[in-house]
Amino acid sequence: MKIVAAELRWVQIPLVAPFRTSFGTCYDRDTIVLRVVTDQGIEGWSECGAEIDPLYSEEWLAGVELVIRDHLWPRITALGDGLTAVAVKPALEPVKRHFMAKHLLETAILDAELKGAGMSFGSYLGSVKERVPAGVSVGIMDTLPELLEAVAGYVEAGYVRIKLKIEPGWDLEPVRLVRQEFGDDLLLQVDANTAYTLLDVQHLTRLDEFGLLLIEQPLREDDLRGHAELARVMRTPVCLDESITSARDAATAIAQRACSVINIKPARVGGYLEARRIHDVAAANGIPVWCGGMLETGIGRAPNLALAALPGFVLPGDTSASSRYYSQDLTKPFELDADGCIAVPTGPGIGVDILPDVLAAVTDRVDSLPIG
């Protein structure tokens, strides 16, 4: 396979409501969409997981564009006719980290490759489910009544799991009220996005009384020892997100007993091939995994669903319906079925078609990447 054209599209899509976490508030989905075209006229698409500012991780959108143009893309074009998705990771290995930029490249190339072979992401990755249960992530609200109203809407919509974003000052009381309001049968978990330290251990153990499915990334991403200490004293399972950027990270965290659950985000770990490796490491050690999200449009949500259909993904993920975030998605919208699940796309590649008029309407800039 050879790439004959490629472009980076900067897009901005309004969210249906602001989404606040411990590190900031999003009002729009700003992202970069990559389109590649092969010598057979096949298009491959992908969506960047990075955000405008380097707050979730060290990566940010402008940095992604720079590192792709100056360092990663030349290594891709150097592969010539030998380009395959499997060849991407070793070709880019000399460039340290920059996982979200690498994910953008690998995913578009894999999409084109699989379309050429008439194979879906699900078939390629090893999916075993036709649909996956959908959870929803609920941001930090201004008031407790506003939170309860939001959760009630998601429960009524059919979501099978609720995740509450928390931070110091917005944790015990919101969780207590949601548990009281919706009962013990509701699958409920919390996500701190690194907002706490080991000084907060005693406080965090008070969450144990609420029967949570897990607590996600309570401490800094580089603090595996701290997470191991917290896991030792908390009854609530500790889940790692930002700490895990590779299968090696996953193996280390498991060996140190720093977690008993792992959130796998393909964008965070450099692509779907590494995401599958993390799944395999976790499965070999009896560690459940689930698929997180970065507010993706349908371009990113479709392959996430394929990943979430692998056998080790036994917990509901953040693969919500399109309407959770967008009034108009860039693809045909994903919707919940009567059981709170979303169907895994079965078409070639990512399995969805991009809506060109919608994409054009939200595109701020299009930059071509040099070929050869």
Side-chain angles (χ1 to χ4, degrees), residues 10 23 29-32 47-69 71-72 92 95-105 221 242 244-246 265-271 294:
W10 282 71
F23 57 83
R29 167 65 168 153
D30 292 275
T31 189
I32 295 173
E47 174 182 351
C48 188
E51 300 179 343
I52 282 288
D53 300 309
L55 301 177
Y56 170 79
S57 75
E58 71 273 20
E59 293 186 76
W60 78 106
L61 285 175
V64 165
E65 182 182 37
L66 285 173
V67 78
I68 286 178
R69 185 174 296 279
H71 299 283
L72 301 181
L92 303 183
V95 179
K96 305 300 183 185
R97 298 182 68 84
H98 291 283
F99 301 115
M100 292 190 179
K102 293 175 180 179
H103 159 269
L104 189 65
L105 293 172
E221 63 273 13
E242 290 94 326
I244 307 299
T245 60
S246 67
K265 292 178 180 173
R268 190 191 68 237
V269 305
M294 297 297 293

Short mmCIF file of all heavy atoms in Angstrom, two decimals, residues 10 23 29-32 47-69 71-72 92 95-105 221 242 244-246 265-271 294:
data_model
loop_
_atom_site.label_atom_id
_atom_site.label_comp_id
_atom_site.label_asym_id
_atom_site.label_seq_id
_atom_site.Cartn_x
_atom_site.Cartn_y
_atom_site.Cartn_z
N TRP A 10 -8.45 20.62 10.67
CA TRP A 10 -8.77 21.16 11.99
C TRP A 10 -10.27 21.40 12.04
O TRP A 10 -10.82 22.14 11.22
CB TRP A 10 -8.03 22.46 12.24
CG TRP A 10 -6.59 22.30 12.60
CD1 TRP A 10 -5.58 21.89 11.79
CD2 TRP A 10 -6.02 22.50 13.90
NE1 TRP A 10 -4.40 21.84 12.49
CE2 TRP A 10 -4.63 22.22 13.78
CE3 TRP A 10 -6.52 22.92 15.12
CZ2 TRP A 10 -3.76 22.33 14.86
CZ3 TRP A 10 -5.66 23.03 16.20
CH2 TRP A 10 -4.29 22.73 16.07
N PHE A 23 -9.60 19.01 35.41
CA PHE A 23 -8.55 19.84 34.80
C PHE A 23 -9.08 20.89 33.83
O PHE A 23 -8.30 21.60 33.20
CB PHE A 23 -7.50 18.97 34.11
CG PHE A 23 -8.03 18.04 33.05
CD1 PHE A 23 -8.26 18.48 31.77
CD2 PHE A 23 -8.27 16.71 33.34
CE1 PHE A 23 -8.73 17.62 30.79
CE2 PHE A 23 -8.74 15.84 32.37
CZ PHE A 23 -8.98 16.30 31.09
N ARG A 29 -15.73 20.46 20.80
CA ARG A 29 -14.76 19.40 20.50
C ARG A 29 -13.83 19.93 19.41
O ARG A 29 -14.20 20.03 18.24
CB ARG A 29 -15.49 18.14 20.03
CG ARG A 29 -14.60 17.07 19.40
CD ARG A 29 -13.63 16.48 20.37
NE ARG A 29 -13.01 15.27 19.82
CZ ARG A 29 -11.82 14.83 20.16
NH1 ARG A 29 -11.10 15.49 21.03
NH2 ARG A 29 -11.34 13.73 19.63
N ASP A 30 -12.64 20.33 19.81
CA ASP A 30 -11.61 20.74 18.87
C ASP A 30 -10.73 19.53 18.60
O ASP A 30 -10.20 18.92 19.54
CB ASP A 30 -10.76 21.87 19.45
CG ASP A 30 -11.55 23.16 19.61
OD1 ASP A 30 -11.63 23.91 18.63
OD2 ASP A 30 -12.07 23.40 20.71
N THR A 31 -10.54 19.18 17.34
CA THR A 31 -9.73 18.02 17.03
C THR A 31 -9.14 18.14 15.64
O THR A 31 -9.44 19.09 14.90
CB THR A 31 -10.55 16.72 17.16
OG1 THR A 31 -9.69 15.59 17.05
CG2 THR A 31 -11.63 16.64 16.09
N ILE A 32 -8.28 17.20 15.32
CA ILE A 32 -7.72 17.10 13.98
C ILE A 32 -8.18 15.78 13.37
O ILE A 32 -8.07 14.72 14.00
CB ILE A 32 -6.17 17.13 13.99
CG1 ILE A 32 -5.68 18.49 14.49
CG2 ILE A 32 -5.61 16.83 12.62
CD1 ILE A 32 -4.16 18.54 14.70
N GLU A 47 -9.22 10.22 13.84
CA GLU A 47 -9.52 11.42 14.63
C GLU A 47 -8.56 11.50 15.81
O GLU A 47 -8.32 10.51 16.49
CB GLU A 47 -10.97 11.34 15.14
CG GLU A 47 -11.37 12.44 16.10
CD GLU A 47 -12.79 12.28 16.60
OE1 GLU A 47 -13.53 11.41 16.07
OE2 GLU A 47 -13.17 13.01 17.54
N CYS A 48 -8.02 12.67 16.04
CA CYS A 48 -7.03 12.86 17.11
C CYS A 48 -7.71 12.92 18.48
O CYS A 48 -8.75 13.55 18.64
CB CYS A 48 -6.23 14.14 16.85
SG CYS A 48 -4.84 14.34 17.98
N GLY A 49 -7.07 12.30 19.46
CA GLY A 49 -7.61 12.31 20.82
C GLY A 49 -7.12 13.47 21.66
O GLY A 49 -7.63 13.70 22.75
N ALA A 50 -6.11 14.21 21.17
CA ALA A 50 -5.55 15.31 21.95
C ALA A 50 -6.54 16.47 22.04
O ALA A 50 -7.47 16.59 21.23
CB ALA A 50 -4.24 15.78 21.34
N GLU A 51 -6.29 17.33 23.02
CA GLU A 51 -7.13 18.51 23.22
C GLU A 51 -6.35 19.77 22.92
O GLU A 51 -5.15 19.73 22.64
CB GLU A 51 -7.66 18.51 24.66
CG GLU A 51 -8.50 17.26 24.97
CD GLU A 51 -9.02 17.23 26.40
OE1 GLU A 51 -8.49 17.99 27.24
OE2 GLU A 51 -9.94 16.44 26.66
N ILE A 52 -7.01 20.90 22.97
CA ILE A 52 -6.38 22.18 22.66
C ILE A 52 -5.20 22.46 23.58
O ILE A 52 -4.15 22.95 23.16
CB ILE A 52 -7.41 23.33 22.77
CG1 ILE A 52 -8.30 23.36 21.53
CG2 ILE A 52 -6.73 24.66 22.94
CD1 ILE A 52 -7.61 23.86 20.28
N ASP A 53 -5.34 22.13 24.86
CA ASP A 53 -4.29 22.40 25.85
C ASP A 53 -3.74 21.08 26.40
O ASP A 53 -4.46 20.09 26.49
CB ASP A 53 -4.85 23.24 27.00
CG ASP A 53 -5.38 24.58 26.53
OD1 ASP A 53 -4.63 25.28 25.81
OD2 ASP A 53 -6.53 24.93 26.87
N PRO A 54 -2.48 21.05 26.83
CA PRO A 54 -1.87 19.82 27.36
C PRO A 54 -2.21 19.60 28.82
O PRO A 54 -1.36 19.66 29.71
CB PRO A 54 -0.37 20.08 27.16
CG PRO A 54 -0.23 21.56 27.28
CD PRO A 54 -1.48 22.14 26.68
N LEU A 55 -3.49 19.31 29.09
CA LEU A 55 -3.97 19.17 30.46
C LEU A 55 -4.30 17.72 30.81
O LEU A 55 -4.04 17.27 31.93
CB LEU A 55 -5.19 20.06 30.69
CG LEU A 55 -4.95 21.56 30.45
CD1 LEU A 55 -6.24 22.35 30.63
CD2 LEU A 55 -3.86 22.09 31.37
N TYR A 56 -4.90 16.99 29.88
CA TYR A 56 -5.13 15.55 30.11
C TYR A 56 -3.81 14.81 30.05
O TYR A 56 -3.52 13.94 30.87
CB TYR A 56 -6.12 15.00 29.08
CG TYR A 56 -6.21 13.49 29.11
CD1 TYR A 56 -6.97 12.84 30.08
CD2 TYR A 56 -5.52 12.71 28.17
CE1 TYR A 56 -7.04 11.46 30.11
CE2 TYR A 56 -5.59 11.33 28.20
CZ TYR A 56 -6.35 10.71 29.18
OH TYR A 56 -6.41 9.34 29.21
N SER A 57 -3.00 15.14 29.07
CA SER A 57 -1.66 14.57 28.94
C SER A 57 -0.74 15.68 28.44
O SER A 57 -1.16 16.83 28.29
CB SER A 57 -1.66 13.39 27.96
OG SER A 57 -1.74 13.84 26.62
N GLU A 58 0.51 15.32 28.13
CA GLU A 58 1.46 16.32 27.66
C GLU A 58 1.20 16.73 26.22
O GLU A 58 1.79 17.71 25.73
CB GLU A 58 2.90 15.79 27.79
CG GLU A 58 3.28 14.69 26.82
CD GLU A 58 2.92 13.30 27.31
OE1 GLU A 58 2.06 13.17 28.20
OE2 GLU A 58 3.50 12.33 26.79
N GLU A 59 0.34 16.03 25.51
CA GLU A 59 0.08 16.35 24.11
C GLU A 59 -1.03 17.38 23.96
O GLU A 59 -1.96 17.44 24.77
CB GLU A 59 -0.27 15.08 23.35
CG GLU A 59 0.90 14.11 23.24
CD GLU A 59 0.58 12.91 22.37
OE1 GLU A 59 0.58 13.06 21.13
OE2 GLU A 59 0.35 11.83 22.93
N TRP A 60 -0.95 18.17 22.89
CA TRP A 60 -1.99 19.13 22.55
C TRP A 60 -2.03 19.25 21.03
O TRP A 60 -1.11 18.85 20.33
CB TRP A 60 -1.75 20.47 23.24
CG TRP A 60 -0.71 21.37 22.64
CD1 TRP A 60 -0.92 22.50 21.93
CD2 TRP A 60 0.72 21.23 22.74
NE1 TRP A 60 0.27 23.07 21.56
CE2 TRP A 60 1.29 22.31 22.05
CE3 TRP A 60 1.56 20.28 23.34
CZ2 TRP A 60 2.68 22.47 21.94
CZ3 TRP A 60 2.94 20.44 23.23
CH2 TRP A 60 3.48 21.53 22.55
N LEU A 61 -3.14 19.76 20.50
CA LEU A 61 -3.40 19.67 19.07
C LEU A 61 -2.32 20.34 18.21
O LEU A 61 -1.86 19.77 17.22
CB LEU A 61 -4.76 20.27 18.74
CG LEU A 61 -5.97 19.41 19.12
CD1 LEU A 61 -7.26 20.15 18.87
CD2 LEU A 61 -5.96 18.10 18.34
N ALA A 62 -1.91 21.55 18.56
CA ALA A 62 -0.88 22.22 17.77
C ALA A 62 0.42 21.43 17.80
O ALA A 62 1.15 21.34 16.79
CB ALA A 62 -0.66 23.64 18.28
N GLY A 63 0.72 20.83 18.94
CA GLY A 63 1.91 20.00 19.04
C GLY A 63 1.80 18.74 18.21
O GLY A 63 2.79 18.28 17.61
N VAL A 64 0.60 18.16 18.15
CA VAL A 64 0.38 16.98 17.32
C VAL A 64 0.67 17.30 15.86
O VAL A 64 1.35 16.55 15.16
CB VAL A 64 -1.07 16.46 17.49
CG1 VAL A 64 -1.43 15.47 16.38
CG2 VAL A 64 -1.24 15.81 18.85
N GLU A 65 0.16 18.43 15.40
CA GLU A 65 0.39 18.82 14.01
C GLU A 65 1.88 18.99 13.73
O GLU A 65 2.41 18.51 12.71
CB GLU A 65 -0.35 20.10 13.68
CG GLU A 65 -0.17 20.53 12.22
CD GLU A 65 -0.87 21.83 11.90
OE1 GLU A 65 -0.89 22.73 12.76
OE2 GLU A 65 -1.38 21.96 10.77
N LEU A 66 2.59 19.64 14.64
CA LEU A 66 4.02 19.89 14.44
C LEU A 66 4.83 18.59 14.41
O LEU A 66 5.68 18.40 13.54
CB LEU A 66 4.55 20.80 15.54
CG LEU A 66 4.18 22.29 15.44
CD1 LEU A 66 4.63 23.03 16.68
CD2 LEU A 66 4.81 22.91 14.20
N VAL A 67 4.56 17.72 15.37
CA VAL A 67 5.36 16.50 15.43
C VAL A 67 5.05 15.57 14.26
O VAL A 67 5.94 14.87 13.75
CB VAL A 67 5.18 15.77 16.79
CG1 VAL A 67 3.87 15.00 16.85
CG2 VAL A 67 6.35 14.83 17.05
N ILE A 68 3.81 15.58 13.78
CA ILE A 68 3.49 14.79 12.60
C ILE A 68 4.23 15.34 11.38
O ILE A 68 4.91 14.61 10.66
CB ILE A 68 1.97 14.76 12.35
CG1 ILE A 68 1.29 13.83 13.36
CG2 ILE A 68 1.67 14.29 10.92
CD1 ILE A 68 -0.22 13.78 13.23
N ARG A 69 4.11 16.64 11.15
CA ARG A 69 4.69 17.24 9.95
C ARG A 69 6.22 17.14 9.94
O ARG A 69 6.82 16.83 8.92
CB ARG A 69 4.25 18.70 9.85
CG ARG A 69 4.70 19.39 8.57
CD ARG A 69 4.11 20.78 8.47
NE ARG A 69 2.66 20.73 8.38
CZ ARG A 69 1.98 20.49 7.25
NH1 ARG A 69 2.66 20.25 6.13
NH2 ARG A 69 0.67 20.47 7.24
N HIS A 71 8.36 15.27 12.10
CA HIS A 71 9.07 14.09 12.56
C HIS A 71 8.42 12.75 12.20
O HIS A 71 9.13 11.80 11.88
CB HIS A 71 9.26 14.16 14.08
CG HIS A 71 10.05 15.35 14.52
ND1 HIS A 71 11.41 15.42 14.40
CD2 HIS A 71 9.64 16.54 15.07
CE1 HIS A 71 11.84 16.59 14.85
NE2 HIS A 71 10.79 17.28 15.27
N LEU A 72 7.10 12.66 12.30
CA LEU A 72 6.46 11.36 12.08
C LEU A 72 6.14 11.10 10.62
O LEU A 72 6.39 10.00 10.11
CB LEU A 72 5.17 11.27 12.93
CG LEU A 72 5.34 11.43 14.44
CD1 LEU A 72 3.99 11.29 15.14
CD2 LEU A 72 6.34 10.43 15.00
N LEU A 92 7.98 4.63 13.72
CA LEU A 92 7.88 5.84 14.53
C LEU A 92 8.55 5.72 15.89
O LEU A 92 8.60 6.70 16.65
CB LEU A 92 6.40 6.20 14.73
CG LEU A 92 5.57 6.41 13.46
CD1 LEU A 92 4.15 6.83 13.82
CD2 LEU A 92 6.21 7.42 12.52
N VAL A 95 10.94 8.35 17.67
CA VAL A 95 10.34 9.56 18.25
C VAL A 95 9.69 9.17 19.57
O VAL A 95 8.78 8.35 19.61
CB VAL A 95 9.29 10.17 17.29
CG1 VAL A 95 8.66 11.41 17.93
CG2 VAL A 95 9.92 10.52 15.96
N LYS A 96 10.16 9.76 20.65
CA LYS A 96 9.69 9.39 21.98
C LYS A 96 8.23 9.83 22.21
O LYS A 96 7.85 10.95 21.87
CB LYS A 96 10.58 10.01 23.06
CG LYS A 96 12.07 9.70 22.91
CD LYS A 96 12.34 8.20 22.98
CE LYS A 96 13.84 7.92 22.90
NZ LYS A 96 14.13 6.48 22.84
N ARG A 97 7.46 8.93 22.79
CA ARG A 97 6.09 9.18 23.21
C ARG A 97 5.24 9.75 22.06
O ARG A 97 5.16 9.14 21.02
CB ARG A 97 6.06 10.05 24.47
CG ARG A 97 6.75 9.35 25.66
CD ARG A 97 6.68 10.17 26.94
NE ARG A 97 5.31 10.27 27.44
CZ ARG A 97 4.71 9.36 28.20
NH1 ARG A 97 5.35 8.25 28.57
NH2 ARG A 97 3.48 9.53 28.61
N HIS A 98 4.57 10.88 22.25
CA HIS A 98 3.67 11.45 21.23
C HIS A 98 2.67 10.40 20.75
O HIS A 98 2.45 10.21 19.54
CB HIS A 98 4.47 12.04 20.07
CG HIS A 98 5.24 13.26 20.43
ND1 HIS A 98 4.64 14.50 20.57
CD2 HIS A 98 6.55 13.42 20.74
CE1 HIS A 98 5.56 15.39 20.92
NE2 HIS A 98 6.72 14.76 21.05
N PHE A 99 2.06 9.72 21.71
CA PHE A 99 1.19 8.59 21.40
C PHE A 99 -0.06 9.00 20.62
O PHE A 99 -0.53 8.26 19.75
CB PHE A 99 0.79 7.85 22.68
CG PHE A 99 1.97 7.33 23.45
CD1 PHE A 99 2.28 7.81 24.71
CD2 PHE A 99 2.78 6.35 22.90
CE1 PHE A 99 3.37 7.33 25.42
CE2 PHE A 99 3.88 5.86 23.59
CZ PHE A 99 4.17 6.35 24.85
N MET A 100 -0.63 10.16 20.94
CA MET A 100 -1.86 10.56 20.25
C MET A 100 -1.59 10.92 18.80
O MET A 100 -2.42 10.67 17.93
CB MET A 100 -2.53 11.71 21.00
CG MET A 100 -3.08 11.28 22.36
SD MET A 100 -4.11 12.53 23.12
CE MET A 100 -4.57 11.68 24.65
N ALA A 101 -0.43 11.49 18.53
CA ALA A 101 -0.05 11.76 17.15
C ALA A 101 0.18 10.45 16.40
O ALA A 101 -0.24 10.30 15.24
CB ALA A 101 1.22 12.62 17.12
N LYS A 102 0.82 9.50 17.04
CA LYS A 102 1.07 8.20 16.41
C LYS A 102 -0.24 7.45 16.17
O LYS A 102 -0.42 6.79 15.14
CB LYS A 102 2.02 7.38 17.28
CG LYS A 102 3.43 7.96 17.35
CD LYS A 102 4.32 7.19 18.32
CE LYS A 102 5.72 7.79 18.37
NZ LYS A 102 6.61 7.09 19.33
N HIS A 103 -1.16 7.56 17.12
CA HIS A 103 -2.48 6.94 16.97
C HIS A 103 -3.19 7.48 15.74
O HIS A 103 -3.83 6.74 14.98
CB HIS A 103 -3.32 7.19 18.23
CG HIS A 103 -4.80 7.06 18.03
ND1 HIS A 103 -5.60 8.14 17.67
CD2 HIS A 103 -5.63 6.01 18.13
CE1 HIS A 103 -6.85 7.74 17.58
NE2 HIS A 103 -6.90 6.46 17.84
N LEU A 104 -3.11 8.79 15.53
CA LEU A 104 -3.78 9.41 14.39
C LEU A 104 -3.28 8.80 13.08
O LEU A 104 -4.08 8.49 12.18
CB LEU A 104 -3.53 10.92 14.41
CG LEU A 104 -4.32 11.76 13.42
CD1 LEU A 104 -5.81 11.72 13.73
CD2 LEU A 104 -3.82 13.21 13.43
N LEU A 105 -1.97 8.61 12.96
CA LEU A 105 -1.39 8.06 11.74
C LEU A 105 -1.72 6.57 11.58
O LEU A 105 -2.18 6.13 10.52
CB LEU A 105 0.12 8.26 11.76
CG LEU A 105 0.59 9.71 11.67
CD1 LEU A 105 2.10 9.80 11.88
CD2 LEU A 105 0.20 10.34 10.35
N GLU A 221 -0.38 10.50 37.17
CA GLU A 221 -0.14 9.41 36.24
C GLU A 221 1.19 8.70 36.47
O GLU A 221 1.34 7.53 36.12
CB GLU A 221 -0.22 9.92 34.79
CG GLU A 221 0.81 10.94 34.40
CD GLU A 221 0.38 12.36 34.72
OE1 GLU A 221 -0.60 12.56 35.48
OE2 GLU A 221 1.05 13.29 34.24
N GLU A 242 -4.63 7.38 32.79
CA GLU A 242 -3.48 8.15 32.31
C GLU A 242 -2.15 7.45 32.55
O GLU A 242 -1.17 7.70 31.83
CB GLU A 242 -3.47 9.53 32.96
CG GLU A 242 -4.55 10.48 32.49
CD GLU A 242 -5.80 10.48 33.35
OE1 GLU A 242 -6.15 9.39 33.88
OE2 GLU A 242 -6.43 11.54 33.49
N ILE A 244 -1.36 4.39 32.04
CA ILE A 244 -1.10 3.26 31.14
C ILE A 244 -0.99 3.77 29.70
O ILE A 244 -1.99 4.16 29.09
CB ILE A 244 -2.22 2.21 31.24
CG1 ILE A 244 -2.44 1.79 32.70
CG2 ILE A 244 -1.88 1.01 30.36
CD1 ILE A 244 -1.24 1.17 33.35
N THR A 245 0.22 3.75 29.16
CA THR A 245 0.43 4.17 27.78
C THR A 245 0.99 3.05 26.91
O THR A 245 1.29 3.28 25.72
CB THR A 245 1.38 5.39 27.71
OG1 THR A 245 2.65 5.03 28.28
CG2 THR A 245 0.81 6.57 28.48
N SER A 246 1.13 1.86 27.46
CA SER A 246 1.67 0.74 26.69
C SER A 246 1.36 -0.56 27.42
O SER A 246 0.98 -0.58 28.59
CB SER A 246 3.19 0.87 26.53
OG SER A 246 3.83 0.72 27.79
N LYS A 265 -7.67 3.49 26.34
CA LYS A 265 -8.02 4.49 25.33
C LYS A 265 -7.01 4.36 24.19
O LYS A 265 -5.83 4.63 24.39
CB LYS A 265 -7.97 5.90 25.91
CG LYS A 265 -9.06 6.19 26.94
CD LYS A 265 -8.90 7.60 27.50
CE LYS A 265 -9.99 7.89 28.54
NZ LYS A 265 -9.76 9.18 29.21
N PRO A 266 -7.45 3.97 23.01
CA PRO A 266 -6.51 3.79 21.90
C PRO A 266 -5.68 5.04 21.62
O PRO A 266 -4.48 4.93 21.32
CB PRO A 266 -7.42 3.45 20.72
CG PRO A 266 -8.62 2.82 21.36
CD PRO A 266 -8.82 3.55 22.65
N ALA A 267 -6.27 6.21 21.71
CA ALA A 267 -5.53 7.44 21.43
C ALA A 267 -4.40 7.64 22.44
O ALA A 267 -3.31 8.11 22.09
CB ALA A 267 -6.47 8.65 21.45
N ARG A 268 -4.63 7.26 23.68
CA ARG A 268 -3.63 7.46 24.73
C ARG A 268 -2.44 6.52 24.59
O ARG A 268 -1.34 6.84 25.05
CB ARG A 268 -4.29 7.26 26.10
CG ARG A 268 -3.46 7.67 27.30
CD ARG A 268 -4.08 7.18 28.61
NE ARG A 268 -4.02 5.73 28.74
CZ ARG A 268 -5.08 4.94 28.92
NH1 ARG A 268 -6.29 5.44 28.98
NH2 ARG A 268 -4.92 3.63 29.03
N VAL A 269 -2.65 5.37 23.96
CA VAL A 269 -1.60 4.35 23.93
C VAL A 269 -0.95 4.21 22.56
O VAL A 269 -0.16 3.30 22.34
CB VAL A 269 -2.15 2.99 24.40
CG1 VAL A 269 -2.78 3.13 25.78
CG2 VAL A 269 -3.15 2.40 23.41
N GLY A 270 -1.29 5.08 21.61
CA GLY A 270 -0.63 5.07 20.32
C GLY A 270 -1.33 4.32 19.22
O GLY A 270 -0.79 4.21 18.12
N GLY A 271 -2.53 3.79 19.49
CA GLY A 271 -3.27 3.12 18.44
C GLY A 271 -3.93 1.84 18.89
O GLY A 271 -3.76 1.37 20.02
N MET A 294 -12.48 10.02 24.45
CA MET A 294 -11.96 11.39 24.45
C MET A 294 -12.94 12.31 23.71
O MET A 294 -12.56 13.14 22.90
CB MET A 294 -10.58 11.43 23.79
CG MET A 294 -9.50 10.63 24.51
SD MET A 294 -9.14 11.22 26.18
CE MET A 294 -8.41 12.81 25.82
#
